[in-house]
Structure formats: C-alpha cells, structure tokens
C-alpha cells in the first residue's frame, strides 16, 4: 500500500465531463451484481441504501448493476433488478434521488444476458446469435448449476425486438432521473456474444467479419443515442473476457480493436467503458498497449477503465497517462465504501472485501414466484451479494 500521507493523487479528484454530464471527480463505482431486487425485479429500499453509501463515500459516478430490459429473455438471474416497466422505473427514481442528494451522478447499465442467462422469471428459453452453448458452467452464486443451455438462434425479428427493448429501457431510465445509460456489451452477454467469433456462426449481416459482428452493438448504441437526447450520457461497456470464458481474446488483435472502437465511436455515444482482468496489462501478446489505450486511440471518446485498479497509484497512473478519463472500482469499493475520501485524506485502505450480506429476505413464496427450483434455493433466508461483471 502506498504512503498515502505523502501523496493525494490529485488527478483522481479533478472534475471531468462525460457527454453533457459533469463529474466532481474521476472515481466511479463499477457495476456489480446485487441479486437483491424483489422477485418481480423491483429495486428495494435496501438497494437504495446500498448505492447511497458509495455516493456518501465520495464516488463521483455510480453505475448500477446490469438491469434486464424486457420481460422475455434478457433477465440473467433471479432477483436481478429490471427496468422494463413503470413500476420498476418508479422504484429506481427513488434510488436515483437518494444518490443525487449525496452529490453523485448515476448511470443505469442496460443488459441482455443472452445465452448466459441462468435464471429468468419469464421463460426458460435463451437467445443468442447462434445455437452455440457458452463455454464453462453456470455459477452457483447465480443459483445455476451444470452447463448453459443451448440458445435459440435469433431471427431478424427477434434482433429488432432486442433493439426496441434497449430503447424502451433507456427511456425509462431517463424518466427515472438517471444521468446516463451504459449499454452492456461485455462479459459474454448478448451483444458480446454477437461480437465473439466462436459464439456467432451466422452468415447474414450480423455474422462473419468483425464489422458484421459488432453491428448489433452499434445499432443499439445509435438507437439509444437517438432516443434519449443529448442531455443524457450514453456509453457501452466492452471486454474481451467473459463470465464463462475469461481468457478469450479478439483473434485479430489490434486490428479488431481498431474496427470495434471506431465503429462504436461513429454511433454518437459519449464514452466506452473497458473492463479487463488487469487494466494496466497489455491487451494482446504482441503489443504493450492496454485495451483502454486502444479504445482511446481509435474512438477518441471518454474512457472509463476497470480492472484491478485497487492501488491509488495505479488508478492515478492510468488517468495521468491520458489513457482513461475515469477509473471504475469494484472489489476495492466493496472493501472501502468511502475509497475516494480515504485516499483524499490519506487514511489507510482495507484490502479485505467483507462478507456483504445484503440480499432480500426470501420466503418460500418469493422463490416460487421467481420460479427458482428447490435445488437452487439457499439454505438460509438471506444470501450474499456477489462481485461479478
């Protein structure tokens, strides 16, 4: 741990702007799965209290956990919050008001789980670009077990439905008072599945070349930008690794990165949020440049960087280099919910993430409503949050 008495990492505390949204500093709370909504996907008062702690702790920007966007196939796991209807949006409005009262900005992350869905209150069907099963196995912390289901290959009509769902969710987020929306295009969820070569075997305009495989992500970005207006920041989260395959890399290396980041910038979005296991590590074997650096070079947009920036020296380094404009913290934020204030005032940081029991008090009826099989229900009446993409 650095000598925090002798350094204040001034660059982390400079103001900045993403789109038309002003931030008081360059430290963001990364999106982290909470599995803490009601069975109907409505955020609770406890979720509101959770986010407000980070706003009170000095984070300039908070990004929600992934919010499912429709009542069909987008939900990724039981007790995930959604933003699909007025009831969910109204509940989020109260959460947003609490965050704003504490002086932070708040972005909603919009997510379609695709074939990595492990629990859906509406259907057992999953959608993907092709009928290809994701690698790896479902995660027990998501109440899943065994291999993922083979998804239904999406039709052109279903692709249009997903585009419309992202737009509807973005408008609901705007109505709820969020300052921005982040489209989840990372970690092996639907938009990333279209980009991933082995998951996408299509031969139409959405398959084949990298230009075609990034097409759905660019369409969604452009749709959302057009729908919400200039006052609301719009961005996308991008990664190479996935929940089910964290070693994946783009086969074309920097050439693929150039195509992907240029295409995304052309949609009119305001920022790109890169997430890698280590933000400061080279993106590919044959280059010293990081994914965030490549995103900055080929997009020219504001960049949020996420991935093992626990040490404020590393966080300040990536800002000072001009590679990123904002750092997003996950585990270090859970361990230090006032991380910005501690760094600013030279207080020590804890390296330990506490056992953060925060889930809803789930009754048998709750689990039945959510459609969770008996074998996947927890032994106790509360369960832990999880720190995952």
């Amino acid at each position: 741990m650095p000598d925090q008495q002798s350094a204040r990492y001034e660059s982390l505390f400079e103001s900045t702007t993403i789109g038309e949204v002003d931030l008081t500093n360059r430290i963001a709370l990364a999106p982290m799965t909470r599995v803490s909504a009601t069975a109907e996907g409505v955020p609770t008062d406890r979720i509101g209290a959770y986010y407000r702690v980070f706003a009170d702790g000095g984070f300039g920007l908070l990004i929600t956990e992934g919010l499912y966007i429709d009542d069909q196939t987008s939900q990724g796991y039981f007790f995930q919050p959604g933003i699909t209807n007025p009831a969910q949006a109204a509940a989020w409005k109260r959460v947003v008001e609490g965050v704003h009262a504490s002086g932070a900005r708040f972005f909603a992350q919009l997510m379609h789980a695709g074939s990595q869905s492990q629990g859906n209150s509406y259907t057992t069907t999953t959608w993907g670009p092709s009928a290809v099963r994701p690698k790896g196995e479902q995660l027990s912390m998501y109440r899943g077990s065994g291999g993922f289901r083979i998804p239904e290959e999406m039709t052109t009509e279903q692709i249009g439905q997903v585009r419309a769902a992202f737009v509807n969710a973005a408008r609901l987020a705007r109505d709820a008072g969020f300052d921005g929306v982040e489209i989840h295009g990372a970690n092996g969820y639907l938009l990333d599945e279209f980009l991933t070569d082995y998951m996408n075997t299509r031969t139409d305009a959405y398959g084949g070349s990298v230009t075609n495989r990034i097409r759905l992500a660019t369409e969604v970005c452009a749709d959302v930008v057009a729908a919400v207006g200039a006052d609301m920041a719009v961005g996308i989260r991008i990664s190479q690794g996935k929940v089910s395959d964290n070693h994946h890399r783009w086969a074309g290396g920097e050439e693929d990165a150039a195509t992907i980041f240029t295409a995304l910038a052309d949609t009119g979005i305001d920022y790109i949020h890169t997430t890698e296991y280590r933000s400061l590590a080279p993106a590919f074997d044959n280059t010293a440049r990081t994914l965030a650096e490549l995103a900055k070079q080929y997009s020219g947009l504001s960049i949020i960087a996420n991935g093992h920036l626990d040490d404020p020296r590393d966080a300040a380094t990536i800002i000072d280099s001009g590679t990123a404009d904002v750092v997003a913290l996950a585990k270090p934020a859970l361990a230090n919910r006032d991380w910005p204030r501690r760094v600013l005032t030279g207080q020590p940081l804890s390296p330990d993430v506490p056992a953060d029991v925060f889930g809803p008090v789930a009754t048998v009826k709750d689990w039945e409503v959510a459609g969770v099989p008996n074998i996947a229900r927890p032994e106790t009446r509360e369960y832990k949050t999880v720190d995952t993409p």
Side-chain angles (χ1 to χ4, degrees):
M1 189 62 62
D3 179 4
Q4 295 169 25
Q5 298 299 326
S6 61
R8 293 294 182 266
Y9 313 106
E10 288 86 355
S11 60
L12 295 174
F13 299 95
E14 295 173 353
S15 61
T16 190
T17 302
I18 297 180
E20 299 297 321
V21 178
D22 296 327
L23 304 180
T24 58
N25 62 42
R26 295 167 182 259
I27 308 166
L29 176 72
M32 288 181 282
T33 299
R34 298 291 89 191
V35 289
S36 300
T38 69
E40 297 77 23
V42 177
T44 62
D45 290 342
R46 298 179 79 185
I47 285 181
Y50 162 80
Y51 283 112
R52 188 156 183 170
V53 165
F54 295 101
D56 289 338
F59 287 83
L61 171 64
L62 314 183
I63 307 174
T64 71
E65 60 223 274
L67 311 181
Y68 67 86
I69 59 171
D70 64 27
D71 59 1
Q72 297 182 67
T73 59
S74 66
Q75 186 178 0
Y77 29 83
F78 297 110
F79 296 104
Q80 177 187 8
I83 190 156
T84 71
N85 58 54
Q88 292 170 343
W92 276 115
K93 184 176 179 64
R94 294 191 294 272
V95 179
V96 172
E97 288 171 349
V99 167
H100 284 168
S102 294
R105 297 293 196 169
F106 206 9
F107 291 179
Q109 188 185 73
L110 310 181
M111 169 183 160
H112 192 300
S115 60
Q116 281 189 162
S117 174
Q118 299 191 184
N120 191 308
S121 300
Y122 305 101
T123 180
T124 58
T125 301
T126 60
W127 285 359
S130 305
V132 177
R133 189 194 308 274
K135 293 182 179 180
E137 292 192 344
Q138 299 181 54
L139 303 177
S140 59
M141 59 190 167
Y142 286 158
R143 309 302 165 205
S145 62
F148 291 91
R149 293 185 291 275
I150 296 176
E152 176 183 320
E153 181 171 318
M154 293 172 66
T155 65
T156 302
E157 180 182 2
Q158 289 168 337
I159 289 173
Q161 290 172 9
V162 166
R163 291 176 61 181
F166 271 105
V167 167
N168 179 66
R171 287 174 172 155
L172 287 170
R174 178 193 59 193
D175 295 345
F178 282 102
D179 302 292
V181 288
E182 178 170 289
I183 296 158
H184 202 337
N187 304 120
Y189 297 114
L190 183 68
L191 300 184
D192 186 40
E193 290 169 25
F194 270 83
L195 177 58
T196 302
D197 46 15
Y198 69 83
M199 294 294 295
N200 183 346
T201 61
R202 302 175 74 96
T203 57
D204 63 3
Y206 293 96
S209 67
V210 174
T211 300
N212 282 357
R213 287 186 277 115
I214 195 63
R215 186 182 307 277
L216 179 55
T218 60
E219 289 177 342
V220 169
C221 287
D223 291 345
V224 170
V225 167
V228 301
D231 292 341
M232 196 175 199
V234 178
I236 187 168
R237 195 181 210 212
I238 291 292
S239 71
Q240 297 188 87
K242 313 172 192 316
V243 172
S244 57
D245 179 11
N246 60 14
H247 298 296
H248 178 74
R249 293 293 179 268
W250 297 333
E254 187 171 331
E255 184 176 345
D256 281 1
T259 299
I260 291 164
F261 294 131
T262 300
L264 291 171
D266 288 343
T267 66
I269 59 175
D270 300 299
Y271 75 93
I272 292 172
H273 181 177
T274 60
T275 177
E276 295 277 83
Y277 181 68
R278 294 193 180 278
S279 294
L280 296 175
F284 308 105
D285 291 339
N286 60 351
T287 182
R289 290 195 282 181
T290 66
L291 194 66
E293 185 177 357
L294 294 170
K296 174 64 81 173
Q297 176 184 347
Y298 291 111
S299 75
L301 299 176
S302 296
I303 303 299
I304 300 177
N306 168 249
H308 271 81
L309 295 171
D310 312 37
D311 190 320
R313 288 176 299 187
D314 292 336
T317 293
I318 202 167
I319 297 295
D320 293 339
S321 70
T323 294
D325 303 277
V326 175
V327 295
L329 307 180
K331 286 183 177 179
L334 288 178
N336 305 272
R337 303 194 178 197
D338 57 349
W339 193 97
R341 184 166 295 135
R342 286 178 176 272
V343 171
L344 183 63
T345 58
Q347 297 179 59
L349 295 173
S350 171
D352 301 320
V353 178
D356 180 24
V357 178
F358 178 70
V361 178
T363 65
V364 172
K365 181 180 179 182
D366 290 332
W367 289 103
E368 289 174 348
V369 169
V372 181
N374 287 327
I375 193 171
R377 298 178 190 174
E379 295 292 335
T380 61
R381 289 173 61 82
E382 290 195 358
Y383 59 95
K384 296 180 181 180
T385 56
V386 291
D387 173 23
T388 60

